[in-house]
Amino acid sequence: MEQAKKYKEITNRKSTLVRYFYVGAMLLFYLSYILLENYRHHQSEKWKSINNLTLQDVQAIQQLAYWNTVLESLFIGLFLIGALFLYKKNREKLIYFIVLNICLFAFLFIMSYILSFFVQLPIGNLTQPLLIPTFILVPLMFYSSFISLKQRLGRSI
């Protein structure tokens, strides 16, 4: 009995640590994306004023676009890893994952909306990394609801 209690405490600590790591990494990737997008926007203003871009300018443009895509992909990839591997087998953890991401995405959207008043980036550029995970989160919510309903109906029969 005592050993089971210790195991439960260790797994709860690990789960909490994984959640903190997940939220921290998602915030880090998202904020890095925003900073790089803002820098790219400022650089584009400079590049617009130049009549003839050099090869170095073109390479710099391509490099910034590449790193922006990498950060957006890391954000989406971490979400997919969390959804597919960490929480797919346990319904309670899946529901927690869904609620956690709804709160996280709502926070990031509100933060982006407020930030759009202070920087020259449009809201669409600021919220772009949220689009694909949100479109994946909606079917995940339906799946979780379906599983919950199925289990409740199974118990009542």
Side-chain angles (χ1 to χ4, degrees):
M1 194 70 165
E2 184 70 31
Q3 197 173 17
K5 214 177 205 185
K6 285 182 182 179
Y7 176 75
K8 220 175 200 184
E9 287 177 15
I10 290 171
T11 53
N12 282 341
R13 276 191 237 142
K14 285 182 181 179
S15 294
T16 303
L17 185 62
V18 167
R19 289 180 197 131
Y20 284 141
F21 175 77
Y22 174 79
V23 170
M26 292 290 275
L27 287 172
L28 179 70
F29 293 149
Y30 187 76
L31 292 174
S32 299
Y33 171 85
I34 296 299
L35 290 172
L36 193 59
E37 184 70 23
N38 192 39
Y39 176 72
R40 189 172 88 150
H41 181 72
H42 286 296
Q43 288 297 104
S44 71
E45 296 297 323
K46 181 185 94 172
W47 290 321
K48 282 182 193 176
S49 65
I50 299 173
N51 288 335
N52 294 326
L53 292 175
T54 65
L55 181 60
Q56 292 171 336
D57 291 333
V58 172
Q59 287 175 342
I61 293 168
Q62 289 174 339
Q63 193 68 19
L64 282 174
Y66 170 77
W67 283 110
N68 238 5
T69 304
V70 165
L71 287 170
E72 186 177 351
S73 299
L74 286 171
F75 185 84
I76 294 167
L78 186 58
F79 172 80
L80 289 174
I81 288 170
L84 296 175
F85 296 112
L86 297 177
Y87 297 104
K88 76 174 186 178
K89 294 188 181 190
N90 189 331
R91 188 179 60 82
E92 287 84 24
K93 287 184 179 182
L94 179 64
I95 291 170
Y96 185 84
F97 179 77
I98 290 169
V99 170
L100 175 73
N101 278 288
I102 289 172
C103 294
L104 179 66
F105 294 167
F107 170 75
L108 291 176
F109 182 81
I110 291 168
M111 185 183 75
S112 298
Y113 180 73
I114 293 168
L115 194 60
S116 71
F117 292 113
F118 299 105
V119 296
Q120 295 179 355
L121 292 171
I123 188 74
N125 288 23
L126 293 171
T127 58
Q128 184 174 341
L130 298 175
L131 290 177
I132 293 174
T134 301
F135 283 122
I136 295 171
L137 194 60
V138 171
L140 213 59
M141 288 177 2
F142 286 121
Y143 170 75
S144 177
S145 299
F146 174 74
I147 296 299
S148 294
L149 183 64
K150 185 177 171 183
Q151 286 180 346
R152 286 184 187 162
L153 290 176
R155 283 188 211 148
S156 65
I157 295 176

